[in-house]
Amino acid sequence: MCIEHGNNDHPMCEHWSGPQSNQVVAEQKKSNNKTQQLPWTGEPFQPADIAIVSQRSTPLIIGMVGSPDAGKTSYLGMLYTLLFNGIKLERWSFAGSCTLAAWETLAQCLQIKPGGLVKFAPPTPSNPDYYSLFHLSLKKGKLFRDVLFADSSGEVFNLWSENTQDSNAGNARWIYEKSSAFVFMVDCVALIEKRGAAKSEIIQMAEQLAANLKGRPVAVVWSKADRIYEVRENIKSALDEDLTLIFGNSKVFEVSNFSKSDPDTLCHKNNLEVTEYLLEELNKPRAINLIPQIESSGDLFFNYRGSYVSE
Ligand SMILES: Nc1nc2c(ncn2[C@@H]2O[C@H](COP(=O)(O)OP(=O)(O)OP(=O)(O)O)[C@@H](O)[C@H]2O)c(=O)[nH]1
Ligand SMILES: [Mg+2]
């Protein structure tokens, strides 16, 4: 018998080693159930977490592609900052997110600190099994979409663009295979500082991205465009032409995370337009090839495609 915790309070005693009281067990169960009711934590989704949202709609994955430092993570931080501050997409409205804590962390990096400094997000980790998917639910009328932005490390995408089968580029391969659309970043500051070398790196990555696109839309985004006027005109126009050849009529945007005015086109308007453009492209009806591709065989029955097909 415990002197301090008499009657039914004995399981509260620090020396008690027997089974817990029904009340304590019931309370523990209740709090366990609470955590089990929420399968997400607010942190970035990992590929296995996609199942959390895939039951209600087929999620669209938007892959962020670009060289190291190109501005991929900052783009996402600014996207959330704008939405959080009530600046809206034109046709889509915010309907929730399972990764709010992750978005918040990105947005905090863009907040102006005392002394006017902005401490940008650290480079995205480059280990091949690192995944960082940011979730948004969006609505347009009766249409509901779960969108996952797949952030990536530029270092890994560099490896992938040199050799898609590189053993250290597993997450870049995953993003390329699973994404429904891409944001392709062209870093103005890299073009100012590394000129031709940066241009070659960008073209190599663009060609690799275009190699097996299968009609998936790409938004070409000149990032850090607050300095675009410093990019040599010949480099800019040659790269522009090359990217048009590679991606066809993909839409081109200029974005910046530094606003010069309020509102600022590069910062406040163009950032949201990139996402809006991809969402609209993804919702366009696509032609479906209804004639099955059957290997030619000697069998007349299997070779028959209907009387309207001329060989
Ligand atoms: N001038 C300018 N610099 C920017 C802008 N946005 C970001 N930067 C700078 O670019 C750096 C890289 O930005 P990130 O968004 O981290 O680039 P990233 O593509 O995610 O880089 P990795 O994760 O390493 O692949 C930041 O640390 C800033 O110094 C911008 O709008 N203008
Ligand atoms: Mg990053």
Side-chain angles (χ1 to χ4, degrees):
M1 172 60 99
C2 179
I3 298 172
E4 273 185 53
H5 301 94
N7 302 328
N8 289 331
D9 283 348
H10 55 275
M12 311 295 285
C13 174
E14 58 180 307
H15 303 294
W16 172 253
S17 60
Q20 290 173 314
S21 75
N22 286 347
Q23 192 191 348
V24 173
V25 172
E27 267 168 20
Q28 267 182 2
K29 266 194 184 164
K30 214 166 132 194
S31 72
N32 283 347
N33 276 348
K34 254 190 199 160
T35 50
Q36 279 163 14
Q37 274 167 15
L38 291 173
W40 70 89
T41 59
E43 294 304 324
F45 267 8
Q46 300 303 298
D49 298 325
I50 296 176
I52 296 169
V53 291
S54 64
Q55 285 156 7
R56 59 183 181 190
S57 78
T58 305
L60 301 171
I61 299 179
I62 297 182
M64 306 297 297
V65 180
S67 303
D69 258 8
K72 302 176 289 296
T73 306
S74 317
Y75 170 83
L76 295 175
M78 184 52 77
L79 175 67
Y80 177 76
T81 304
L82 294 172
L83 294 175
F84 183 78
N85 284 295
I87 303 176
K88 294 190 169 86
L89 291 162
E90 212 173 295
R91 299 173 199 86
W92 297 81
S93 50
F94 177 78
S97 167
C98 295
T99 59
L100 277 177
W103 283 115
E104 274 295 326
T105 307
L106 291 190
Q108 270 167 22
C109 294
L110 292 182
Q111 276 175 13
I112 299 172
K113 309 282 177 308
L117 284 176
V118 178
K119 197 167 155 271
F120 282 91
T124 305
S126 58
N127 32 318
D129 55 354
Y130 179 88
Y131 292 89
S132 194
L133 303 166
F134 295 83
H135 170 246
L136 279 185
S137 296
L138 296 168
K139 269 177 79 176
K140 182 168 91 166
K142 286 184 182 162
L143 203 59
F144 183 87
R145 284 280 186 219
D146 281 301
V147 183
L148 294 158
F149 291 87
D151 196 12
S152 65
S153 146
E155 215 176 295
V156 175
F157 259 102
N158 263 354
L159 294 176
W160 173 85
S161 75
E162 278 161 26
N163 170 16
T164 56
Q165 297 311 310
D166 193 301
S167 57
N168 288 317
N171 42 7
R173 267 195 300 283
W174 186 91
I175 290 174
Y176 188 59
E177 192 192 320
K178 306 289 182 200
S179 293
S180 307
F182 298 95
V183 174
F184 182 72
M185 292 275 172
V186 177
D187 181 351
C188 290
V189 171
L191 287 167
I192 297 162
E193 290 171 358
K194 296 196 281 170
R195 299 181 189 176
K199 178 172 170 279
S200 307
E201 197 175 282
I202 291 166
I203 288 175
Q204 182 170 344
M205 203 176 288
E207 281 174 339
Q208 199 62 273
L209 182 63
N212 204 11
L213 263 184
K214 296 184 184 145
R216 292 175 289 177
V218 177
V220 176
V221 176
W222 291 68
S223 62
K224 312 182 191 177
D226 42 286
R227 296 186 59 190
I228 199 166
Y229 60 91
E230 293 177 56
V231 180
R232 283 188 173 203
E233 195 42 52
N234 59 337
I235 293 187
K236 187 175 176 302
S237 54
L239 183 55
D240 235 350
E241 269 176 38
D242 289 343
L243 291 174
T244 307
L245 282 176
I246 294 169
F247 291 127
N249 51 7
S250 288
K251 201 163 173 187
V252 180
F253 300 86
E254 292 174 12
V255 303
S256 168
N257 296 309
F258 295 124
S259 56
K260 288 196 176 127
S261 54
D262 192 13
D264 179 285
T265 303
L266 294 180
C267 183
H268 302 138
K269 187 165 169 280
N270 294 1
N271 177 301
L272 292 174
E273 279 192 358
V274 170
T275 293
E276 183 114 35
Y277 163 71
L278 291 177
L279 290 171
E280 291 303 306
E281 285 297 304
L282 286 168
N283 278 295
K284 278 185 183 164
R286 282 173 196 280
I288 303 168
N289 183 6
L290 290 172
I291 302 172
Q293 298 296 312
I294 302 167
E295 287 293 306
S296 179
S297 77
D299 189 315
L300 285 175
F301 176 74
F302 282 117
N303 281 349
Y304 182 67
R305 304 276 191 282
S307 55
Y308 54 90
V309 179
S310 59
E311 295 287 350

